[in-house]
Amino acid sequence: MSAGTEIAAAYEIGSPVPAVAVSGVPVARRRIGLFVWLLPTLSLILAAALIGSVYLYQNNINRQVDRLLQEGEKLALEGKLAEGKAVIEDALEKRPDHRILLADRDLLTDAISLQSRLSDTEGQLKNKKYEDALKEADKLKSALAARSGPVYEKLASSAANMEERIVVAQVNAGAAVKKTVEELVPLLNNVKAYKGEEAQKSMKQIKQKIVDISYEEATAQLKEKQFAEAMSTIEEALKYDEANQKLTTLKTEVEKQRQTFEDAENSRIQQAIEAAEQEDTKNRTQAVKLISINAYTDADGYFNIEGTVKNTATRSISDVVLYIDILDADKNIVDQATVYVTPNELDTGETGTFYDYYYNLGSMDTVSVTRTEWHLN
């Protein structure tokens, strides 16, 4: 019978069970061995549980920090710098030594300071303190140029936009009171470097004012027949709006009227030349007009010749001489006379007289003027 069978049999008849293991090892010793093995195991399990709990806790904190970090950076990139910094501060309470959080906090502190300066510039713009606003905007641009990163790039874009708004506002205020093209051109040059919608609108308005001023000035010059000046005014304005239909139409009209005027002027000059030539010819050939001439023999037997001439030239004349043939009753030349007009100088339209006499041998009857000479003064 085996040991096991013996234990069973004894149990069945109510006998005490011996403290002997199946293997034959005493139970007390077996229990001690069990505790020796179980205690380290339990300790290990407890330690593992504790470590696991700590790990899970820390891992949860890390997830929270990562989430807050992402949320803070997202807000910052959206331009919500103060909100982003507040979230970063919350994350730093959980991880005070987190390197990225510390760097982000410093960056946002600096960016918020710059953003505050940008807000101050906005106030200067609203109060129309353009020069002060421009100076501050320029300082901001310089400060942001020395920094890099998406947050600063967004601020730099805002600063550039602010500068453009200031320039446009300043230009518009100046253009409203300018009266000449010379005053408007510098304003146009100031704003044309910017590409925003308001800048383009401002440029268009200034160009239109240049066109209107130039059109009015050129039109007045055209009325005065100052064609070169009118053309110069138009050409200068077209430098700033070369396709302007109002100016190009006026330019065509100026060219047309100038050509018409020049043609008429050339015609007038030619007519004047011809008239002058005719006048000169007349002055040289028909300056003296014989108004009257009378020839008679007086009681003393002298043949008298007297008469009147007129200066029909356009200039004064002098030294007028008449050459006269003395004729008999049959129109034969019997003698010749040379008579001088007095006064010696005759103005245009003035008359002079002449007189001479000869002893008549009986054949002198009439006279005929054959030639007249004079000197043009």
Side-chain angles (χ1 to χ4, degrees):
M1 181 179 296
S2 65
T5 303
E6 289 177 355
I7 293 171
Y11 181 77
E12 288 177 358
I13 62 175
S15 300
V17 180
V20 179
V22 176
S23 60
V25 180
V27 173
R29 289 183 62 190
R30 184 164 170 246
R31 287 176 178 171
I32 291 172
L34 179 62
F35 279 113
V36 171
W37 174 83
L38 185 60
L39 185 60
T41 301
L42 289 174
S43 297
L44 182 61
I45 291 172
L46 288 173
L50 181 60
I51 293 172
S53 296
V54 172
Y55 173 77
L56 291 174
Y57 173 77
Q58 294 298 330
N59 192 49
N60 183 53
I61 294 296
N62 289 339
R63 285 198 300 271
Q64 291 180 39
V65 169
D66 288 342
R67 178 180 58 78
L68 290 172
L69 176 61
Q70 292 177 12
E71 182 182 349
E73 290 182 344
K74 181 175 181 294
L75 288 169
L77 290 174
E78 291 173 353
K80 301 174 182 178
L81 303 183
E83 294 91 329
K85 183 183 177 184
V87 173
I88 295 297
E89 294 283 7
D90 289 343
L92 277 169
E93 291 180 2
K94 302 179 184 297
R95 286 285 185 266
D97 299 326
H98 195 290
R99 181 177 57 83
I100 297 177
L101 290 174
L102 291 170
D104 280 357
R105 183 181 64 181
D106 291 342
L107 184 148
L108 288 174
T109 300
D110 181 50
I112 289 171
S113 174
L114 293 171
Q115 189 179 56
S116 177
R117 290 171 60 186
L118 196 61
S119 297
D120 293 341
T121 306
E122 177 77 32
Q124 290 172 326
L125 171 59
K126 288 181 179 179
N127 292 326
K128 299 181 180 180
K129 296 180 179 179
Y130 302 123
E131 292 299 330
D132 293 339
L134 276 176
K135 289 178 181 178
E136 184 59 28
D138 187 62
K139 290 178 182 178
L140 274 172
K141 284 179 62 179
S142 299
L144 288 164
R147 294 165 170 80
S148 62
V151 172
Y152 289 122
E153 288 174 1
K154 193 173 185 68
L155 282 173
S157 177
S158 297
N161 180 261
M162 175 63 68
E163 180 187 59
E164 180 170 332
R165 289 173 57 205
I166 296 168
V167 171
V168 170
Q170 186 180 39
V171 164
N172 288 345
V177 297
K178 302 304 181 184
K179 303 296 183 183
T180 67
V181 173
E182 291 74 14
E183 292 175 320
L184 288 169
V185 169
L187 298 180
L188 183 64
N189 292 333
N190 286 344
V191 77
K192 73 179 181 181
Y194 301 95
K195 305 302 179 184
E197 182 178 347
E198 289 302 314
Q200 296 303 307
K201 181 179 178 181
S202 179
M203 282 185 62
K204 184 176 181 180
Q205 290 173 343
I206 295 173
K207 286 181 178 180
Q208 186 59 50
K209 191 164 185 177
I210 288 175
V211 167
D212 292 341
I213 292 173
S214 300
Y215 185 89
E216 183 177 352
E217 183 178 345
T219 300
Q221 291 167 334
L222 179 59
K223 288 180 179 179
E224 297 297 324
K225 307 300 182 186
Q226 299 173 352
F227 302 109
E229 291 82 352
M231 190 63 70
S232 177
T233 299
I234 295 170
E235 292 289 358
E236 185 65 25
L238 284 172
K239 291 179 181 178
Y240 309 104
D241 193 359
E242 59 184 14
N244 188 275
Q245 185 174 0
K246 187 176 182 179
L247 289 177
T248 54
T249 300
L250 181 59
K251 180 180 179 180
T252 300
E253 181 62 24
V254 171
E255 292 173 340
K256 177 182 177 182
Q257 289 196 30
R258 177 172 63 182
Q259 188 62 51
T260 300
F261 179 81
E262 288 178 352
D263 289 346
E265 188 68 8
N266 289 335
S267 176
R268 186 191 66 77
I269 292 173
Q270 183 60 36
Q271 291 175 358
I273 291 173
E274 293 175 356
E277 291 176 347
Q278 293 175 357
E279 178 182 304
D280 185 66
T281 299
K282 180 181 178 181
N283 287 343
R284 295 183 182 282
T285 61
Q286 302 177 42
V288 177
K289 180 179 181 182
L290 183 63
I291 301 300
S292 65
I293 188 170
N294 185 28
Y296 61 92
T297 302
D298 60 21
D300 296 324
Y302 288 95
F303 188 74
N304 295 272
I305 304 172
E306 59 184 14
T308 304
V309 297
K310 181 179 182 180
N311 177 7
T312 58
T314 58
R315 295 160 58 181
S316 65
I317 58 176
S318 59
D319 302 321
V320 180
V321 180
L322 280 71
Y323 295 91
I324 300 174
D325 286 342
I326 300 174
L327 308 176
D328 61 15
D330 297 323
K331 308 300 180 183
N332 296 313
I333 299 173
V334 296
D335 202 349
Q336 291 180 322
T338 301
V339 295
Y340 293 89
V341 174
T342 57
N344 183 62
E345 183 173 335
L346 298 178
D347 289 332
T348 299
E350 189 177 0
T351 60
T353 59
F354 58 89
Y355 173 78
D356 203 355
Y357 64 94
Y358 301 88
Y359 185 75
N360 191 346
L361 297 176
S363 59
M364 296 178 178
D365 184 52
T366 60
V367 294
S368 173
V369 178
T370 60
R371 189 171 84 252
T372 306
E373 293 180 357
W374 60 88
H375 176 75
L376 287 172
N377 295 335

